[in-house]
């Protein structure tokens, strides 16, 4: 194939700071990759490369220059070898997305499914970002009023006892049959304090906790998975684990209940399919989450979720974060109730 590729950086600004235990994002930088067929320039597709500073394994100093060099190599050889992109998961995702978009006519169709055709929506969790107690309480109520049946709380930034008050209040009003509660610590607790946190959370029918301690502590994380009455999901732990044998080793060593898969962090579509296959072989559950991409990335990640789990996944996905920007890319996406819809062809 005679490819022509352009790379354009674009900065997006959050409607309000996106706060985790690692800090707050007020803006984020993405690189838009447009791939076209040089012999038929009307055939083109676009993808988003969106590394997260201090988190992505490919959030390197000269990200734009490295991405441009990779695209130059693709243009020169006429080949896209995804295995060579394993060290660069966010670049892999953007290039995969642009290529599939081009091959499917450049209409934002990455994977054909009832979701992509606008026939059904994907159930998602309502994400409540960290903030003050009052801010988080208000956001929880907003999600509940909007109809979300699964709420995910970011924890680990304010005092845990205050966060526990929010959880206690939710459970006093809504049993687990009405509201599924997930919590995400982003590695915010130490190994020493984590058992107490897990024991406390178990009293409130928590569905799962993501990354209770920082990554690269396999022995400690395995111990927590062994003793915890709350299911543990791995997220940051998967970053940088890009070789299939390493993936199998991690899964066999830690034995988590769930994997939380973010294609821009965990190997693009190809890498996440490997994780899903490895998880299924071991009885480990998984779901897909966006990672602060714009609507370009969200559109691709949502279609991937529908492709790998079916158009109506039984487990809520984490696909609301693309709606966070004041200057987003216009795409036919909308959240209605607790579902993300692709609104193509809808009135």
């Amino acid at each position: 194939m005679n490819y022509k590729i352009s790379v354009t950086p674009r900065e997006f600004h959050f409607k309000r700071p996106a706060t985790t235990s690692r800090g707050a994002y007020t803006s984020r930088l993405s690189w838009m990759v447009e791939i076209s067929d040089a012999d038929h320039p009307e055939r083109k597709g676009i993808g988003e490369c969106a590394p997260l500073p201090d988190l992505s394994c490919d959030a390197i100093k000269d990200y734009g220059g490295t991405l441009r060099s990779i695209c130059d190599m693709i243009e020169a050889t006429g080949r896209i070898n995804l295995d060579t992109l394993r060290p660069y998961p966010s670049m892999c995702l953007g290039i995969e997305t642009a290529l599939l978009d081009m091959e499917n006519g450049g209409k934002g169709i990455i994977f054909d499914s009832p979701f992509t055709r606008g026939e059904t929506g994907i159930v998602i969790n309502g994400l409540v970002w960290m903030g003050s107690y009052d801010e988080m309480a208000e956001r929880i109520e907003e999600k509940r009023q909007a109809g979300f049946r699964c709420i995910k709380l970011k924890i680990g930034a304010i005092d845990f006892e205050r966060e526990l008050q929010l959880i206690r209040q939710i459970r006093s009003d809504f049993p687990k049959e009405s509201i599924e509660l997930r919590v995400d610590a982003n590695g915010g607790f130490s190994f020493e304090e984590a058992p107490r946190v897990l024991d406390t959370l178990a009293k409130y029918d928590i569905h799962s906790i993501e990354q209770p301690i920082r990554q690269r502590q396999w022995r400690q994380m395995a111990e927590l998975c062994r003793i915890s009455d709350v299911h543990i999901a791995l997220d940051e732990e998967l970053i940088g684990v890009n070789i299939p044998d390493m993936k199998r080793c991690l899964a066999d060593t830690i034995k988590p209940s769930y994997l939380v898969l973010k294609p821009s962090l965990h190997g693009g579509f190809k890498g996440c399919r490997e994780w899903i296959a490895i998880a299924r072989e071991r009885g480990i559950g998984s779901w897909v989450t966006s990672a602060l991409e714009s609507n370009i990335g969200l559109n691709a990640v949502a279609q991937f979720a529908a492709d790998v789990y079916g158009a109506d996944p039984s487990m809520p996905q984490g696909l609301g974060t693309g709606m966070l920007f004041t200057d987003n890319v216009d795409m036919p996406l909308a959240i209605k109730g607790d579902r993300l819809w692709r609104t193509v062809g809808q009135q």
Side-chain angles (χ1 to χ4, degrees), residues 18-199:
T19 304
T20 76
S21 60
R22 294 174 177 268
Y25 293 101
T26 57
S27 66
R28 66 110 68 250
L29 186 61
S30 292
W31 281 259
M32 299 300 171
V33 173
E34 184 177 87
I35 299 180
S36 61
D37 179 347
D39 298 324
H40 302 278
E42 72 281 359
R43 295 186 65 222
K44 57 187 178 182
I46 189 168
E48 179 179 4
C49 304
L52 287 171
D54 303 318
L55 188 59
S56 299
C57 66
D58 58 353
I60 53 181
K61 185 176 182 180
D62 188 20
Y63 185 94
T66 301
L67 176 59
R68 183 64 261 175
S69 295
I70 290 171
C71 292
D72 288 344
M73 180 180 66
I74 293 171
E75 288 182 336
T77 63
R79 296 193 304 272
I80 298 177
N81 184 347
L82 296 178
D83 278 330
T84 65
L85 296 177
R86 285 186 183 275
Y88 310 105
S90 64
M91 299 183 198
C92 182
L93 175 63
I95 290 170
E96 283 180 295
T97 299
L99 179 63
L100 290 167
D101 186 19
M102 183 192 76
E103 292 175 345
N104 289 319
K107 300 177 182 178
I109 298 172
I110 315 305
F111 302 100
D112 183 45
S113 72
F115 167 75
T116 304
R117 296 191 295 271
E119 297 168 5
T120 187
I122 299 175
V123 177
I124 63 175
N125 59 238
L127 177 60
V128 175
W129 289 96
M130 290 178 176
S132 69
Y133 177 90
D134 290 339
E135 287 171 337
M136 293 180 72
E138 179 181 349
R139 293 167 191 170
I140 290 169
E141 182 60 19
E142 288 173 358
K143 297 299 182 185
R144 192 189 66 78
Q145 290 290 342
F148 284 93
R149 290 166 290 172
C150 176
I151 293 176
K152 173 179 168 179
L153 301 177
K154 293 278 189 177
I155 64 172
I158 65 175
D159 179 71
F160 178 64
E161 293 305 320
R162 295 284 281 169
E163 293 169 338
L164 195 59
Q165 288 182 38
L166 292 169
I167 293 170
R168 189 179 297 117
Q169 182 61 49
I170 294 172
R171 273 293 168 253
S172 68
D173 295 334
F174 304 99
K176 64 179 181 179
E177 292 77 15
S178 299
I179 295 290
E180 179 180 289
L181 270 178
R182 300 174 178 174
V183 297
D184 183 2
N186 290 116
F189 300 106
S190 69
F191 173 66
E192 290 72 24
E193 65 184 333
R196 179 184 67 85
V197 170
L198 294 169
D199 284 346

Side-chain angles (χ1 to χ4, degrees), residues 315-331:
M315 187 172 294
Q317 308 294 296
L319 301 172
T321 63
M323 309 294 187
L324 299 174
F325 303 108
T326 60
D327 44 6
N328 214 331
V329 178
D330 188 30
M331 291 288 287

